[in-house]
């Protein structure tokens, strides 16, 4: 059965979509069958793979609101073994439409159930909010990766997210675990970045990934070319760090089986 991982942090600009795009590509390169669910109305994971939202016959919006099956809504990407269920701006209105549904927090979990055998990993890119769609993602997920930017206000808001995770765990998804805290936009030359890493480790211990994602120009440029860093510049530090992260996650899952 595939593992469903949500990538969430209600703070914007911490690298959620960059992590989604590049972790998924790295897992697929390691021979895993991977599906990205773009659950963010900004649709950056969709455009980051060079997919025009207008070209898709259906998106995650139709799946959530109109009960389209996920199987049949996914499109192949430029990476072998990696599919994507894209997003469009109309997803922004889905929160209001979901309110009317019964078991509204569990719509995505129900949609993903028939396809978990088809993939090894399903990665959900969440929007920077703790609204109903993010709650759906966390209710559907087996675990959550929390990207944390290596900057001054990094730890601000994490307690709110952790509280949301606690509530979801107690009321909706008892199996939800924290996959790990991932330090992003890390610059080893800055004392502050190292302090934040130490602070994270002090607070969360083994829940912090050993891999850190550096600030990297190639990583920033890749989405504008519709490619993950791994295809844009495989030798870049952005690409190699995500490969390392994929290997760390795969190794962790092997130990837990």
């Amino acid at each position: 059965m595939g593992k469903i991982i949500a990538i969430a942090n209600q703070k914007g600009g911490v690298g959620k979509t960059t992590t989604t795009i590049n972790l998924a590509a790295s897992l697929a390169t390691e021979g895993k069958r991977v599906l990205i669910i773009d659950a963010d109305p900004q649709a950056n994971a969709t455009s980051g793979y060079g997919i025009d939202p207008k070209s898709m016959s259906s998106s995650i919006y139709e799946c959530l609101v109109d009960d389209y099956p996920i199987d049949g809504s996914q499109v192949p990407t430029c990476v072998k073994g990696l599919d994507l269920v894209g997003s469009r701006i109309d997803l922004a209105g889905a929160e209001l439409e979901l309110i009317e549904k019964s078991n509204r927090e569990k719509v995505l979990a129900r949609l993903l159930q028939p396809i978990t055998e088809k993939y090894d990993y399903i990665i959900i890119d969440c929007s920077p909010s703790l609204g109903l769609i993010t709650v759906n993602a966390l209710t559907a997920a087996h675990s959550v990766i929390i990207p944390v930017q290596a900057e001054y206000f990094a730890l601000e808001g994490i307690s709110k997210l952790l509280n949301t995770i606690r509530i979801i765990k107690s009321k909706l998804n008892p199996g939800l675990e924290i996959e790990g805290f991932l330090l992003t936009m890390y610059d080893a030359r800055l004392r502050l970045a190292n302090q934040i890493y130490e602070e994270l480790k002090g607070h969360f211990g083994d829940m912090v990934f050993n891999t850190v994602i550096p600030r990297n120009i190639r990583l920033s440029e890749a989405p504008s070319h519709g490619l993950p860093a791994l295809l844009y510049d495989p030798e870049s530090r952005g690409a190699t760090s995500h490969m390392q992260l994929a290997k760390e996650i795969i190794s962790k899952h092997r130990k837990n089986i």
Side-chain angles (χ1 to χ4, degrees), residues 8-126:
N9 189 331
Q10 79 276 15
K11 199 170 184 296
V14 298
K16 286 186 293 294
T17 301
T18 300
T19 302
T20 300
I21 289 170
N22 292 288
L23 172 60
S26 301
L27 287 166
T29 303
E30 286 289 298
K32 304 298 178 187
R33 298 160 303 161
V34 186
L35 175 67
I36 293 174
I37 305 280
D38 188 350
D40 185 347
Q42 294 175 82
N44 289 335
T46 305
S47 61
Y49 268 100
I51 294 161
D52 178 2
K54 291 178 193 146
S55 71
M56 303 181 303
S57 59
S58 58
S59 69
I60 192 63
Y61 171 83
E62 283 82 9
C63 297
L64 289 169
V65 173
D66 300 323
D67 292 320
Y68 277 46
I70 296 265
D71 208 3
S73 298
Q74 70 273 67
V75 292
T77 68
C78 52
V79 179
K80 188 185 173 194
L82 173 58
D83 295 336
L84 177 138
V85 175
S87 178
R88 295 191 187 108
I89 191 65
D90 54 7
L91 185 63
E95 303 250 333
L96 290 172
E97 295 176 74
L98 281 173
I99 286 169
E100 304 299 317
K101 289 197 171 232
S102 62
N103 275 334
R104 60 193 181 197
E105 300 89 354
K106 297 186 175 181
V107 176
L108 186 56
R110 184 172 46 74
L111 286 164
L112 288 176
Q113 209 167 11
I115 60 154
T116 49
E117 296 295 336
K118 194 170 178 175
Y119 295 98
D120 298 305
Y121 290 94
I122 297 171
I123 311 286
I124 309 173
D125 185 28
C126 297

Side-chain angles (χ1 to χ4, degrees), residues 148-152 154-155 183 186-203 208:
V148 180
Q149 193 176 356
E151 289 194 355
Y152 184 66
L155 302 177
L183 197 64
Y186 177 77
D187 186 340
R189 297 167 302 179
L190 300 178
R191 185 187 299 169
L192 179 63
N194 292 303
Q195 281 174 347
I196 287 163
Y197 184 71
E198 292 307 319
E199 209 170 319
L200 262 185
K201 272 285 193 192
H203 276 295
V208 181

Side-chain angles (χ1 to χ4, degrees), residues 141-162:
H142 298 117
S143 65
V144 54
I145 290 175
I146 303 170
V148 180
Q149 193 176 356
E151 289 194 355
Y152 184 66
F153 293 114
L155 302 177
E156 199 180 73
I158 283 185
S159 60
K160 194 175 176 187
L161 176 61
L162 293 178

